[in-house]
Amino acid sequence: MAGNVKDKEAFQRLNFLYQAAHCVLSQTSENVELARFYCFTQKTIAKRLVLRQDPSVKRTLCKKCLSLLVPGVTATARQRTTKHRNRMTVLRCLRCGQCKRFLNNPEHRLWVDQPEAQLENQSQPEQGPSTKELKEKADGPISQLSSTGPSSTQHQVPPSKPKT
Ligand SMILES: [Zn+2]
């Protein structure tokens, strides 16, 4: 996959813009608007070329105003408890007030990270063994029948040979 990436240059540009936003924001916290401009451009490019951004990138961008969410600089991070007593991290954008909620579940895996999501793994475990088992099951009775068939004929054949 790493060999031939479609729109490689576009991804490089997205990467550059994302890093530039971090860089600019780390210099002084006054560069919030500049960082937001970089992230806005990044989002626009991704949208136009229909490129899927990594979830780790998406988690750090405000959905509403597209500013880069850095806890303590452009966002606040707080621990909250849900109705079902699950703990979650709430990331609140300081510019527009939009919140992002993440459940504190260490077992949580993204669908992309799960082995079933990969096409190569998908075909092997599901179809491979099942067809083999079916074949083995199908071969079982047939081989038994065929073994009884020829054996009976073999018994019949040897006596016929000495006769002739
Ligand atoms: Zn925002």
Side-chain angles (χ1 to χ4, degrees):
M1 188 181 169
N4 265 328
V5 180
K6 204 186 162 192
D7 296 318
K8 192 183 173 186
E9 286 179 10
F11 272 115
Q12 281 173 344
R13 195 168 171 215
L14 294 181
N15 185 15
F16 174 82
L17 287 167
Y18 187 63
Q19 288 190 55
H22 274 280
C23 182
V24 153
L25 205 60
S26 66
Q27 283 170 354
T28 56
S29 56
E30 291 170 9
N31 286 333
V32 175
E33 284 302 308
L34 185 58
R36 198 172 76 87
F37 170 73
Y38 288 146
C39 290
F40 178 78
T41 314
Q42 181 193 343
K43 173 90 186 237
T44 311
I45 294 165
K47 208 179 196 176
R48 202 181 60 218
L49 297 174
V50 200
L51 302 174
R52 196 169 288 181
Q53 300 219 60
D54 197 76
S56 63
V57 173
K58 280 204 267 185
R59 281 183 204 135
T60 57
L61 298 178
C62 176
K63 205 175 178 180
K64 200 173 174 184
C65 70
L66 291 172
S67 59
L68 188 68
L69 299 176
V70 180
V73 184
T74 56
T76 55
R78 295 287 181 272
Q79 292 296 313
R80 296 268 183 275
T81 312
T82 62
K83 284 177 188 175
H84 305 287
R85 293 185 178 179
N86 293 321
R87 307 268 297 165
M88 64 177 177
T89 307
V90 180
L91 211 60
R92 189 168 184 271
C93 176
L94 287 178
R95 190 178 178 274
C96 69
Q98 181 78 14
C99 289
K100 272 182 183 291
R101 292 172 183 84
F102 304 104
L103 272 177
N104 298 0
N105 182 13
E107 300 293 315
H108 180 74
R109 292 280 176 278
L110 287 170
W111 168 245
V112 187
D113 296 336
Q114 290 174 7
E116 303 98 279
Q118 306 299 325
L119 266 177
E120 301 146 16
N121 298 338
Q122 218 168 28
S123 60
Q124 281 177 354
E126 286 179 13
Q127 290 182 356
S130 62
T131 49
K132 272 181 188 175
E133 280 173 9
L134 281 171
K135 275 181 185 175
E136 280 170 10
K137 278 176 187 173
D139 286 347
I142 290 167
S143 60
Q144 278 176 4
L145 283 169
S146 60
S147 67
T148 52
S151 65
S152 60
T153 51
Q154 274 171 7
H155 283 294
Q156 285 175 355
V157 169
S160 67
K161 273 185 182 176
K163 275 179 189 175
T164 53

